[in-house]
Amino acid sequence: MTEAFVPTFIHSYFIALGVILGGSLIGGLSAFLIGEPPLTEIYRLSNSLRIWAIVAAIGGTFDAVYNFERGLMHGQTDDLVKQIFLILSALGGAQTGALIINWLTQGHLS
């Protein structure tokens, strides 16, 4: 059973946002526990987690590649357009999360 497009679009945004915020903040906690500067680590992690947040939000890379292939080779352009919008939604969520982390840490501190 497939989920409707609009809920999937919203889920994609918030999953990417959650991966960035959660991963960065928990990573900052681990940096604090081992004696490294937590805000610098939070900022660094938010930049390095972006691609993983996008991959997690769209449900893995193979599904996205399959949907692109189906859209291009089988003429199902609606699947192609939906996949592009889902990727853009995930990009927006990752960017929003990185922007929030940037505001919290006041940019790169080191």
Side-chain angles (χ1 to χ4, degrees), residues 43-68:
Y43 180 81
R44 189 190 66 75
L45 283 171
S46 73
N47 287 329
S48 64
L49 284 175
R50 286 184 190 189
I51 188 67
W52 297 110
I54 295 165
V55 169
I58 62 173
T61 56
F62 293 116
D63 291 337
V65 170
Y66 176 70
N67 285 335
F68 272 122

Side-chain angles (χ1 to χ4, degrees), residues 3-110:
E3 192 174 1
F5 175 70
V6 173
T8 305
F9 183 80
I10 294 170
H11 283 144
S12 179
Y13 178 86
F14 283 104
I15 289 170
L17 178 67
V19 168
I20 294 290
L21 292 178
S24 298
L25 294 175
I26 297 297
L29 178 64
S30 71
F32 174 74
L33 292 175
I34 62 171
E36 293 182 4
L39 291 180
T40 302
E41 187 67 17
I42 289 171
Y43 180 81
R44 189 190 66 75
L45 283 171
S46 73
N47 287 329
S48 64
L49 284 175
R50 286 184 190 189
I51 188 67
W52 297 110
I54 295 165
V55 169
I58 62 173
T61 56
F62 293 116
D63 291 337
V65 170
Y66 176 70
N67 285 335
F68 272 122
E69 184 263 337
R70 191 169 57 192
L72 290 174
M73 302 302 175
H74 298 274
Q76 296 179 350
T77 56
D78 58 335
D79 288 336
L80 183 64
V81 171
K82 286 179 183 179
Q83 195 64 36
I84 289 171
F85 278 121
L86 289 177
I87 291 171
L88 288 175
S89 174
L91 283 168
Q95 183 64 28
T96 303
L99 185 62
I100 290 170
I101 293 295
N102 193 16
W103 286 341
L104 289 175
T105 61
Q106 297 297 310
H108 193 38
L109 297 175
S110 63

